[in-house]
Amino acid sequence: MTVAPEQRAKRSYHDACGAARALDLVGERWTLLVVRELLLGPKRFTDLRAGLPGISPNVLSQRLEELVQIGVAHKRKLPPPVGAAVYDLTDWGRELDDVIVALNRWGARTPNSYSCSDMSTDSLVVTLRTFFRPERAAGVHADYDLYFTGSDSGTDEFHAVVSDGAIAISRGASGTGATAIHTTVAAFIAVAIHGRPLADSLASGETEISGPPAAVEQFVSFFEPPPECTANPPK
């Protein structure tokens, strides 16, 4: 993908190094987090705002315009009856997936003063993908529909497929997942990251499942974030 000079970010490092040229394009504040929110599929502007509550509408509009201009994202309309305008990553933009996951893994090892329960649903899913342990899922073939309620955008749905040591998570529940998990981001993090017993979350009503609890316990056992991620449990 070639980006014309006039399409590049206004500020430049004026350095031929590939890393510097990449930062010319996606190094502005919020840009990579906007990309993170689009990794799992298209989103409306309002959904992006819900996933990034700290960003102002003007800055989000600017970042999206820049991403479209340089060819990392594009804007399109969903077909009827929805008809809503959404932003999606281009093929070139999706190549940033590995970059986001690597930054997530690297950054998670730094001292953390934030509660993991403050994550957006997309941030949680990226974190699950980052800290998935393939050896724990060797020989496992299972799928799960994940429903996270309580966000500003309503219920966020994902479909996770585990296949012999690999995981794929996409936006949108299948409706036919062998196991369905209905929960909140904070409740799921408490179980999957901070080690809260699943039985407690089920008893409190914070989590509901279809299928045996053992299937859910096996699912959360596939992930192992570093200690820094578990240092600040939800209050």
Side-chain angles (χ1 to χ4, degrees), residues 148-189:
F148 295 102
T149 59
S151 73
D152 291 341
S153 57
T155 299
D156 293 318
E157 303 177 0
F158 301 90
H159 186 220
V161 178
V162 175
S163 181
D164 193 19
I167 190 169
I169 308 179
S170 56
R171 195 182 312 284
S174 69
T176 59
T179 303
I181 304 172
H182 296 258
T183 188
T184 64
V185 168
F188 188 85
I189 286 173

mmCIF file of all heavy atoms in Angstrom, residues 148-189:
data_model
loop_
_atom_site.group_PDB
_atom_site.id
_atom_site.type_symbol
_atom_site.label_atom_id
_atom_site.label_comp_id
_atom_site.label_asym_id
_atom_site.label_seq_id
_atom_site.Cartn_x
_atom_site.Cartn_y
_atom_site.Cartn_z
ATOM 1 N N PHE A 148 -22.088 -9.477 26.146
ATOM 2 C CA PHE A 148 -21.686 -8.557 27.201
ATOM 3 C C PHE A 148 -22.703 -7.425 27.293
ATOM 4 O O PHE A 148 -22.859 -6.641 26.344
ATOM 5 C CB PHE A 148 -20.296 -7.987 26.921
ATOM 6 C CG PHE A 148 -19.204 -9.026 26.941
ATOM 7 C CD1 PHE A 148 -18.680 -9.522 25.757
ATOM 8 C CD2 PHE A 148 -18.716 -9.512 28.146
ATOM 9 C CE1 PHE A 148 -17.685 -10.480 25.773
ATOM 10 C CE2 PHE A 148 -17.716 -10.473 28.174
ATOM 11 C CZ PHE A 148 -17.192 -10.963 26.980
ATOM 12 N N THR A 149 -23.385 -7.341 28.407
ATOM 13 C CA THR A 149 -24.402 -6.308 28.586
ATOM 14 C C THR A 149 -23.840 -5.170 29.431
ATOM 15 O O THR A 149 -22.777 -5.281 30.045
ATOM 16 C CB THR A 149 -25.636 -6.884 29.303
ATOM 17 O OG1 THR A 149 -25.246 -7.418 30.578
ATOM 18 C CG2 THR A 149 -26.264 -7.992 28.479
ATOM 19 N N GLY A 150 -24.579 -4.068 29.446
ATOM 20 C CA GLY A 150 -24.221 -2.964 30.319
ATOM 21 C C GLY A 150 -23.426 -1.859 29.668
ATOM 22 O O GLY A 150 -23.140 -0.853 30.302
ATOM 23 N N SER A 151 -23.031 -2.003 28.398
ATOM 24 C CA SER A 151 -22.291 -0.928 27.733
ATOM 25 C C SER A 151 -23.261 0.098 27.175
ATOM 26 O O SER A 151 -24.463 -0.143 27.067
ATOM 27 C CB SER A 151 -21.432 -1.493 26.596
ATOM 28 O OG SER A 151 -22.250 -1.873 25.505
ATOM 29 N N ASP A 152 -22.729 1.267 26.814
ATOM 30 C CA ASP A 152 -23.566 2.330 26.254
ATOM 31 C C ASP A 152 -24.205 1.922 24.938
ATOM 32 O O ASP A 152 -25.211 2.494 24.520
ATOM 33 C CB ASP A 152 -22.734 3.603 26.051
ATOM 34 C CG ASP A 152 -22.329 4.241 27.370
ATOM 35 O OD1 ASP A 152 -22.966 3.920 28.395
ATOM 36 O OD2 ASP A 152 -21.380 5.042 27.377
ATOM 37 N N SER A 153 -23.601 0.936 24.261
ATOM 38 C CA SER A 153 -24.141 0.510 22.969
ATOM 39 C C SER A 153 -25.094 -0.671 23.105
ATOM 40 O O SER A 153 -25.477 -1.286 22.118
ATOM 41 C CB SER A 153 -22.986 0.125 22.025
ATOM 42 O OG SER A 153 -22.183 -0.889 22.601
ATOM 43 N N GLY A 154 -25.491 -1.005 24.349
ATOM 44 C CA GLY A 154 -26.407 -2.118 24.545
ATOM 45 C C GLY A 154 -25.656 -3.398 24.842
ATOM 46 O O GLY A 154 -24.777 -3.427 25.698
ATOM 47 N N THR A 155 -25.998 -4.445 24.122
ATOM 48 C CA THR A 155 -25.331 -5.736 24.295
ATOM 49 C C THR A 155 -24.333 -5.944 23.162
ATOM 50 O O THR A 155 -24.687 -5.840 21.989
ATOM 51 C CB THR A 155 -26.353 -6.890 24.293
ATOM 52 O OG1 THR A 155 -27.264 -6.714 25.389
ATOM 53 C CG2 THR A 155 -25.649 -8.230 24.455
ATOM 54 N N ASP A 156 -23.097 -6.219 23.520
ATOM 55 C CA ASP A 156 -22.057 -6.501 22.528
ATOM 56 C C ASP A 156 -21.917 -8.015 22.415
ATOM 57 O O ASP A 156 -21.750 -8.717 23.423
ATOM 58 C CB ASP A 156 -20.725 -5.886 22.952
ATOM 59 C CG ASP A 156 -20.777 -4.367 22.940
ATOM 60 O OD1 ASP A 156 -21.346 -3.805 21.985
ATOM 61 O OD2 ASP A 156 -20.263 -3.750 23.885
ATOM 62 N N GLU A 157 -21.981 -8.507 21.172
ATOM 63 C CA GLU A 157 -22.005 -9.945 20.944
ATOM 64 C C GLU A 157 -20.783 -10.383 20.138
ATOM 65 O O GLU A 157 -20.362 -9.700 19.202
ATOM 66 C CB GLU A 157 -23.275 -10.335 20.181
ATOM 67 C CG GLU A 157 -24.561 -9.908 20.870
ATOM 68 C CD GLU A 157 -25.796 -10.259 20.048
ATOM 69 O OE1 GLU A 157 -25.638 -10.840 18.936
ATOM 70 O OE2 GLU A 157 -26.920 -9.967 20.507
ATOM 71 N N PHE A 158 -20.244 -11.544 20.508
ATOM 72 C CA PHE A 158 -19.082 -12.109 19.817
ATOM 73 C C PHE A 158 -19.233 -13.621 19.717
ATOM 74 O O PHE A 158 -19.931 -14.244 20.523
ATOM 75 C CB PHE A 158 -17.784 -11.771 20.571
ATOM 76 C CG PHE A 158 -17.528 -10.310 20.729
ATOM 77 C CD1 PHE A 158 -18.000 -9.625 21.844
ATOM 78 C CD2 PHE A 158 -16.836 -9.602 19.755
ATOM 79 C CE1 PHE A 158 -17.780 -8.261 21.990
ATOM 80 C CE2 PHE A 158 -16.612 -8.234 19.892
ATOM 81 C CZ PHE A 158 -17.079 -7.575 21.019
ATOM 82 N N HIS A 159 -18.558 -14.178 18.742
ATOM 83 C CA HIS A 159 -18.525 -15.628 18.562
ATOM 84 C C HIS A 159 -17.072 -16.069 18.639
ATOM 85 O O HIS A 159 -16.228 -15.589 17.879
ATOM 86 C CB HIS A 159 -19.129 -16.010 17.209
ATOM 87 C CG HIS A 159 -19.258 -17.482 17.002
ATOM 88 N ND1 HIS A 159 -18.987 -18.102 15.804
ATOM 89 C CD2 HIS A 159 -19.620 -18.479 17.863
ATOM 90 C CE1 HIS A 159 -19.179 -19.400 15.920
ATOM 91 N NE2 HIS A 159 -19.558 -19.659 17.154
ATOM 92 N N ALA A 160 -16.783 -16.958 19.580
ATOM 93 C CA ALA A 160 -15.424 -17.468 19.773
ATOM 94 C C ALA A 160 -15.370 -18.937 19.363
ATOM 95 O O ALA A 160 -16.214 -19.729 19.777
ATOM 96 C CB ALA A 160 -15.002 -17.313 21.226
ATOM 97 N N VAL A 161 -14.374 -19.260 18.556
ATOM 98 C CA VAL A 161 -14.179 -20.637 18.112
ATOM 99 C C VAL A 161 -12.782 -21.079 18.524
ATOM 100 O O VAL A 161 -11.793 -20.437 18.171
ATOM 101 C CB VAL A 161 -14.336 -20.767 16.582
ATOM 102 C CG1 VAL A 161 -14.072 -22.209 16.137
ATOM 103 C CG2 VAL A 161 -15.727 -20.330 16.155
ATOM 104 N N VAL A 162 -12.716 -22.163 19.279
ATOM 105 C CA VAL A 162 -11.435 -22.751 19.687
ATOM 106 C C VAL A 162 -11.265 -24.043 18.905
ATOM 107 O O VAL A 162 -12.150 -24.904 18.908
ATOM 108 C CB VAL A 162 -11.396 -23.029 21.205
ATOM 109 C CG1 VAL A 162 -10.109 -23.742 21.591
ATOM 110 C CG2 VAL A 162 -11.541 -21.727 21.979
ATOM 111 N N SER A 163 -10.144 -24.144 18.206
ATOM 112 C CA SER A 163 -9.906 -25.312 17.355
ATOM 113 C C SER A 163 -8.466 -25.775 17.488
ATOM 114 O O SER A 163 -7.563 -25.180 16.907
ATOM 115 C CB SER A 163 -10.225 -24.976 15.891
ATOM 116 O OG SER A 163 -10.015 -26.097 15.052
ATOM 117 N N ASP A 164 -8.274 -26.787 18.300
ATOM 118 C CA ASP A 164 -6.981 -27.448 18.454
ATOM 119 C C ASP A 164 -5.830 -26.463 18.658
ATOM 120 O O ASP A 164 -4.881 -26.414 17.883
ATOM 121 C CB ASP A 164 -6.701 -28.348 17.240
ATOM 122 C CG ASP A 164 -5.522 -29.290 17.490
ATOM 123 O OD1 ASP A 164 -5.174 -29.500 18.666
ATOM 124 O OD2 ASP A 164 -4.947 -29.798 16.509
ATOM 125 N N GLY A 165 -5.947 -25.672 19.700
ATOM 126 C CA GLY A 165 -4.857 -24.771 20.046
ATOM 127 C C GLY A 165 -4.891 -23.426 19.366
ATOM 128 O O GLY A 165 -3.943 -22.645 19.495
ATOM 129 N N ALA A 166 -5.955 -23.110 18.664
ATOM 130 C CA ALA A 166 -6.104 -21.799 18.015
ATOM 131 C C ALA A 166 -7.441 -21.204 18.419
ATOM 132 O O ALA A 166 -8.398 -21.921 18.726
ATOM 133 C CB ALA A 166 -6.018 -21.932 16.501
ATOM 134 N N ILE A 167 -7.495 -19.879 18.435
ATOM 135 C CA ILE A 167 -8.748 -19.211 18.759
ATOM 136 C C ILE A 167 -9.043 -18.133 17.732
ATOM 137 O O ILE A 167 -8.128 -17.449 17.236
ATOM 138 C CB ILE A 167 -8.706 -18.594 20.180
ATOM 139 C CG1 ILE A 167 -10.109 -18.116 20.593
ATOM 140 C CG2 ILE A 167 -7.689 -17.475 20.277
ATOM 141 C CD1 ILE A 167 -10.229 -17.734 22.054
ATOM 142 N N ALA A 168 -10.300 -17.995 17.385
ATOM 143 C CA ALA A 168 -10.768 -16.919 16.509
ATOM 144 C C ALA A 168 -12.001 -16.316 17.168
ATOM 145 O O ALA A 168 -12.901 -17.052 17.600
ATOM 146 C CB ALA A 168 -11.099 -17.451 15.121
ATOM 147 N N ILE A 169 -12.036 -14.999 17.270
ATOM 148 C CA ILE A 169 -13.180 -14.307 17.862
ATOM 149 C C ILE A 169 -13.641 -13.229 16.889
ATOM 150 O O ILE A 169 -12.838 -12.399 16.453
ATOM 151 C CB ILE A 169 -12.831 -13.677 19.225
ATOM 152 C CG1 ILE A 169 -12.202 -14.712 20.162
ATOM 153 C CG2 ILE A 169 -14.084 -13.084 19.864
ATOM 154 C CD1 ILE A 169 -11.817 -14.146 21.523
ATOM 155 N N SER A 170 -14.904 -13.250 16.553
ATOM 156 C CA SER A 170 -15.453 -12.274 15.607
ATOM 157 C C SER A 170 -16.669 -11.593 16.221
ATOM 158 O O SER A 170 -17.316 -12.122 17.131
ATOM 159 C CB SER A 170 -15.835 -12.950 14.289
ATOM 160 O OG SER A 170 -16.739 -14.018 14.513
ATOM 161 N N ARG A 171 -16.956 -10.399 15.709
ATOM 162 C CA ARG A 171 -18.117 -9.662 16.212
ATOM 163 C C ARG A 171 -19.404 -10.317 15.728
ATOM 164 O O ARG A 171 -19.519 -10.741 14.586
ATOM 165 C CB ARG A 171 -18.071 -8.215 15.727
ATOM 166 C CG ARG A 171 -19.020 -7.310 16.503
ATOM 167 C CD ARG A 171 -19.026 -5.867 15.987
ATOM 168 N NE ARG A 171 -17.711 -5.305 15.792
ATOM 169 C CZ ARG A 171 -16.929 -4.875 16.769
ATOM 170 N NH1 ARG A 171 -17.307 -5.007 18.018
ATOM 171 N NH2 ARG A 171 -15.754 -4.350 16.508
ATOM 172 N N GLY A 172 -20.371 -10.403 16.625
ATOM 173 C CA GLY A 172 -21.661 -10.974 16.275
ATOM 174 C C GLY A 172 -21.781 -12.413 16.740
ATOM 175 O O GLY A 172 -20.973 -13.262 16.359
ATOM 176 N N ALA A 173 -22.763 -12.697 17.577
ATOM 177 C CA ALA A 173 -22.988 -14.064 18.044
ATOM 178 C C ALA A 173 -23.557 -14.905 16.907
ATOM 179 O O ALA A 173 -24.272 -14.411 16.036
ATOM 180 C CB ALA A 173 -23.938 -14.064 19.230
ATOM 181 N N SER A 174 -23.234 -16.183 16.928
ATOM 182 C CA SER A 174 -23.744 -17.085 15.890
ATOM 183 C C SER A 174 -25.185 -17.481 16.158
ATOM 184 O O SER A 174 -25.938 -17.812 15.236
ATOM 185 C CB SER A 174 -22.877 -18.353 15.822
ATOM 186 O OG SER A 174 -23.047 -19.138 16.992
ATOM 187 N N GLY A 175 -25.580 -17.470 17.437
ATOM 188 C CA GLY A 175 -26.915 -17.946 17.799
ATOM 189 C C GLY A 175 -26.986 -19.450 17.920
ATOM 190 O O GLY A 175 -27.999 -20.003 18.354
ATOM 191 N N THR A 176 -25.914 -20.118 17.529
ATOM 192 C CA THR A 176 -25.890 -21.580 17.582
ATOM 193 C C THR A 176 -24.679 -22.090 18.359
ATOM 194 O O THR A 176 -24.357 -23.268 18.291
ATOM 195 C CB THR A 176 -25.864 -22.175 16.162
ATOM 196 O OG1 THR A 176 -24.692 -21.688 15.468
ATOM 197 C CG2 THR A 176 -27.108 -21.797 15.381
ATOM 198 N N GLY A 177 -23.997 -21.195 19.072
ATOM 199 C CA GLY A 177 -22.821 -21.604 19.828
ATOM 200 C C GLY A 177 -23.144 -22.695 20.825
ATOM 201 O O GLY A 177 -24.212 -22.693 21.455
ATOM 202 N N ALA A 178 -22.258 -23.658 20.965
ATOM 203 C CA ALA A 178 -22.501 -24.770 21.879
ATOM 204 C C ALA A 178 -22.680 -24.284 23.307
ATOM 205 O O ALA A 178 -23.433 -24.867 24.092
ATOM 206 C CB ALA A 178 -21.340 -25.767 21.802
ATOM 207 N N THR A 179 -21.999 -23.193 23.656
ATOM 208 C CA THR A 179 -22.105 -22.600 24.987
ATOM 209 C C THR A 179 -22.315 -21.102 24.833
ATOM 210 O O THR A 179 -21.598 -20.452 24.077
ATOM 211 C CB THR A 179 -20.823 -22.860 25.810
ATOM 212 O OG1 THR A 179 -20.589 -24.265 25.897
ATOM 213 C CG2 THR A 179 -20.956 -22.282 27.206
ATOM 214 N N ALA A 180 -23.307 -20.571 25.514
ATOM 215 C CA ALA A 180 -23.557 -19.127 25.500
ATOM 216 C C ALA A 180 -23.277 -18.559 26.880
ATOM 217 O O ALA A 180 -23.668 -19.147 27.896
ATOM 218 C CB ALA A 180 -24.997 -18.831 25.097
ATOM 219 N N ILE A 181 -22.570 -17.430 26.901
ATOM 220 C CA ILE A 181 -22.222 -16.772 28.155
ATOM 221 C C ILE A 181 -22.801 -15.366 28.126
ATOM 222 O O ILE A 181 -22.429 -14.554 27.267
ATOM 223 C CB ILE A 181 -20.692 -16.717 28.337
ATOM 224 C CG1 ILE A 181 -20.080 -18.123 28.251
ATOM 225 C CG2 ILE A 181 -20.341 -16.051 29.666
ATOM 226 C CD1 ILE A 181 -18.554 -18.123 28.219
ATOM 227 N N HIS A 182 -23.709 -15.077 29.046
ATOM 228 C CA HIS A 182 -24.301 -13.745 29.175
ATOM 229 C C HIS A 182 -23.734 -13.122 30.441
ATOM 230 O O HIS A 182 -23.961 -13.630 31.553
ATOM 231 C CB HIS A 182 -25.827 -13.831 29.277
ATOM 232 C CG HIS A 182 -26.492 -14.387 28.053
ATOM 233 N ND1 HIS A 182 -27.119 -13.582 27.127
ATOM 234 C CD2 HIS A 182 -26.612 -15.659 27.608
ATOM 235 C CE1 HIS A 182 -27.620 -14.343 26.160
ATOM 236 N NE2 HIS A 182 -27.322 -15.596 26.430
ATOM 237 N N THR A 183 -23.034 -12.010 30.300
ATOM 238 C CA THR A 183 -22.358 -11.431 31.453
ATOM 239 C C THR A 183 -22.054 -9.964 31.192
ATOM 240 O O THR A 183 -22.549 -9.384 30.227
ATOM 241 C CB THR A 183 -21.061 -12.236 31.757
ATOM 242 O OG1 THR A 183 -20.490 -11.785 32.986
ATOM 243 C CG2 THR A 183 -20.057 -12.125 30.634
ATOM 244 N N THR A 184 -21.261 -9.355 32.045
ATOM 245 C CA THR A 184 -20.751 -8.008 31.840
ATOM 246 C C THR A 184 -19.236 -8.090 31.720
ATOM 247 O O THR A 184 -18.625 -9.105 32.095
ATOM 248 C CB THR A 184 -21.111 -7.083 33.011
ATOM 249 O OG1 THR A 184 -20.455 -7.556 34.197
ATOM 250 C CG2 THR A 184 -22.621 -7.043 33.237
ATOM 251 N N VAL A 185 -18.637 -7.024 31.212
ATOM 252 C CA VAL A 185 -17.179 -7.007 31.110
ATOM 253 C C VAL A 185 -16.549 -7.196 32.483
ATOM 254 O O VAL A 185 -15.646 -8.013 32.672
ATOM 255 C CB VAL A 185 -16.697 -5.689 30.466
ATOM 256 C CG1 VAL A 185 -15.182 -5.533 30.612
ATOM 257 C CG2 VAL A 185 -17.093 -5.646 28.986
ATOM 258 N N ALA A 186 -17.041 -6.454 33.478
ATOM 259 C CA ALA A 186 -16.454 -6.527 34.820
ATOM 260 C C ALA A 186 -16.604 -7.926 35.413
ATOM 261 O O ALA A 186 -15.665 -8.457 36.031
ATOM 262 C CB ALA A 186 -17.106 -5.500 35.732
ATOM 263 N N ALA A 187 -17.765 -8.548 35.236
ATOM 264 C CA ALA A 187 -17.989 -9.882 35.795
ATOM 265 C C ALA A 187 -17.124 -10.924 35.105
ATOM 266 O O ALA A 187 -16.577 -11.824 35.758
ATOM 267 C CB ALA A 187 -19.465 -10.255 35.679
ATOM 268 N N PHE A 188 -16.973 -10.794 33.786
ATOM 269 C CA PHE A 188 -16.145 -11.760 33.063
ATOM 270 C C PHE A 188 -14.679 -11.616 33.448
ATOM 271 O O PHE A 188 -13.969 -12.613 33.645
ATOM 272 C CB PHE A 188 -16.318 -11.585 31.554
ATOM 273 C CG PHE A 188 -15.655 -12.668 30.743
ATOM 274 C CD1 PHE A 188 -16.313 -13.861 30.499
ATOM 275 C CD2 PHE A 188 -14.372 -12.501 30.242
ATOM 276 C CE1 PHE A 188 -15.699 -14.875 29.770
ATOM 277 C CE2 PHE A 188 -13.755 -13.503 29.520
ATOM 278 C CZ PHE A 188 -14.424 -14.692 29.279
ATOM 279 N N ILE A 189 -14.220 -10.377 33.574
ATOM 280 C CA ILE A 189 -12.833 -10.137 33.967
ATOM 281 C C ILE A 189 -12.571 -10.682 35.368
ATOM 282 O O ILE A 189 -11.511 -11.257 35.645
ATOM 283 C CB ILE A 189 -12.512 -8.637 33.894
ATOM 284 C CG1 ILE A 189 -12.383 -8.208 32.430
ATOM 285 C CG2 ILE A 189 -11.237 -8.300 34.649
ATOM 286 C CD1 ILE A 189 -12.239 -6.727 32.218
#
